Amino acid sequence: MMKGFFKSQTSTLLDLSDRLKIALSEFTGVRVVAIASLVVSGFVLGVRHLGGLQPLELVALDQLVRLHSDPGPDPRLLVVGITEGDIRTQKQWPLSDRTMAQLLAKLQSLQPQVIGLDVYREIPQQPGNAELKVQLREKNIFAIKKFGDTELELVSPPPGFPEDRVGFNDLLLDPDGVVRRNLLFVSDDTSTYFSFSLRLAIAYLESVGITPESSQQNPDYIQLAKAVFVPLQQNSGGYHNIDPRGYQVLLSYRSSNVARQVTLTQVLKGQIDPNWVKNKIVLIGTTAPSAKDTFSTPYSPAEKTIAKMPGVLVHAQMVSQFLDAATGERPLFWFWDERIEVLWIVGWTLLGAIAAWWLRHPVVLILGCGVGLGVLLGTCFYLFTLQGWVPLSAPVLGFILTSGVVITYRSYDAQQQQQIIMKLLGQNTSPEVAKALWKGRDRLIKSGKLPGIKLIATMMFADIKDFSTIAEQMPPEALLEWLNEMLDVVTHEIIGHEGIINKFTGDGFMAVFGVPMDRIHKEEVALDAQRSIECALAIGEILEELNQNWKTRGLPVIQMRIGIFTGPVVVGSLGGKDRLEYGVIGDSVNTAARLESCEKHRQPSNCRVLIGKETLVHLDNQFLVESWGPLPLKGKQQMVDVYLVVGRQRERASEV
């Protein structure tokens, strides 16, 4: 009765709440993935809406520009750069009007289609102003003006220069100071002003029969041939809340070396090939660093010497973009609708969560996430080669964040699962056993039970002699407290010797050494047997101390019987759906139990330890034993060679 009453529930594999967790494990995965995706998507989209991801998107755009194939210089362009050497040769800056007039005359003699003068000539620079005025009358020459942000920064074109051959050379800078946008027009209440680069492009395209017109798509959009210039909005591509005033498009850089370059001195000395000029667009501007007319571009981070690009080359990039778009060589940039971008970001965020949930092995998880990010980056780059600028940093961030959130949850969930698994053995396992169980958690959590495994183990049964008499004399509460005091120290010893408590039986227990790991080598089986004997002897020593303590407290003193046997068993989940135990079954278990209960009248010490020959063969003469000969055991047809463990060999040797 008492044994049945006190039978420990710690061997129950999974309580009701744990089984509920298992039953809902698949649903939990879907829920975790969905919640993580929604939360992270909301966070990423919120940060993106506030412009927090714009710097990352712009950096990504610059990298894509640098990775894009380089078609080389535009053959339709020539840049005449005014270098530091030219300034030293002329010994004057700004250059005199005469020098500029000579330069224009030399170029005109080579029959250019268009000449763009990206040099301010608002104030005459004598000598030679009259000569320059004569050259500026040519209809293929275009000059610049500057609006600036203040009245003091305004710069007018050369005096008397026709307005229809003037373009502003103001450049738009992103918050990080990089030129990524091409400004076509600006307007005020009375007029619309063309950019310098657009003036040059239109003049050149008119010579091949292409003129600007209003688009049928939207009459407010300018169209050159089939190219419709859709103006940037506040949130186009990776931009968020930019100033879209004027008529802007995303600048498509052709190459870091956009056009052939020659120096002013080379032109004046006639040291250039006429074919470089004939029917070309010639841009004249300073490339000397001292002029401080340089700008950061997407190429700047990769440049080791001169990081910034001269303004005249930036204008050449813009002219080249107009020409390529009009002739169909390079399409203009396009962007997704905001709704599609949201779906794109949410989709990759969801994929990150799914990958982190389903790819459990660390190596597979790392490879899977790496492949996923590789596909994302590769897709963005491929679309960029088609002139599509789609969100990159937002989906990457979403993918990484959801992966991190799900992995974090899985880590937390793994700790919860580990607690469930530890309940398999009533939290009475050694670290080695617990580790082995944890490795097999997937099968356990999925099916709710451990499959049967056949292995060699050493069983230990223990029981208190005359327990019924003791129980009869003590109140139940005091009896329970007294038993727990004894079982607590016994459990500590068993775990310390790498065994497990399979079950408590009120006044005794069943322990197993060698489960749940399958012992492959004989040495491992022998080590389990030796540990069980060491554990039994240690329990005997502790029992002596307990008895002395109990005696002084007026509590009963006890004697204990222990039976140990080594042999094949089957271990696994035992029971029905409402109750499961970690079962250890087999004839070897019965034999160990019978060894504990045989010859009850023979109690040579407070802790009697009987073993079978099957255990003795593994002890390697480390223990002193006394043969009791073959004995019949209850329920066994064959006799069993029984031995009493007297002590350790080294202890007896020291006594002698």
Side-chain angles (χ1 to χ4, degrees), residues 356-474:
W357 182 262
W358 289 108
L359 304 178
R360 297 304 180 98
H361 193 283
V363 175
V364 177
L365 175 61
I366 293 173
L367 290 176
C369 290
V371 170
L373 289 174
V375 172
L376 169 56
L377 297 175
T379 302
C380 289
F381 179 71
Y382 173 73
L383 293 175
F384 186 80
T385 63
L386 303 178
Q387 296 298 96
W389 187 24
V390 302
L392 192 155
S393 65
V396 167
L397 182 62
F399 188 97
I400 293 174
L401 285 181
T402 47
S403 298
V405 168
V406 172
I407 290 172
T408 301
Y409 172 82
R410 278 178 46 191
S411 178
Y412 167 78
D413 188 53
Q415 294 179 354
Q416 301 302 308
Q417 292 181 13
Q418 189 172 19
Q419 293 179 5
I420 295 173
I421 290 176
M422 292 303 292
K423 291 180 183 179
L424 294 173
L425 304 174
Q427 297 182 347
N428 292 327
T429 61
S430 67
E432 183 181 354
V433 173
K435 183 178 180 180
L437 284 174
W438 182 236
K439 288 182 178 179
R441 67 187 182 277
D442 289 339
R443 289 183 301 170
L444 175 63
I445 297 301
K446 183 176 182 180
S447 64
K449 60 176 63 179
L450 289 171
I453 302 175
K454 185 176 181 180
L455 45 77
I456 304 296
T458 297
M459 275 61 63
M460 172 190 290
F461 277 83
D463 197 40
I464 297 175
K465 183 181 180 181
D466 299 326
F467 177 75
S468 298
T469 302
I470 297 173
E472 195 174 31
Q473 299 172 358
M474 296 181 68

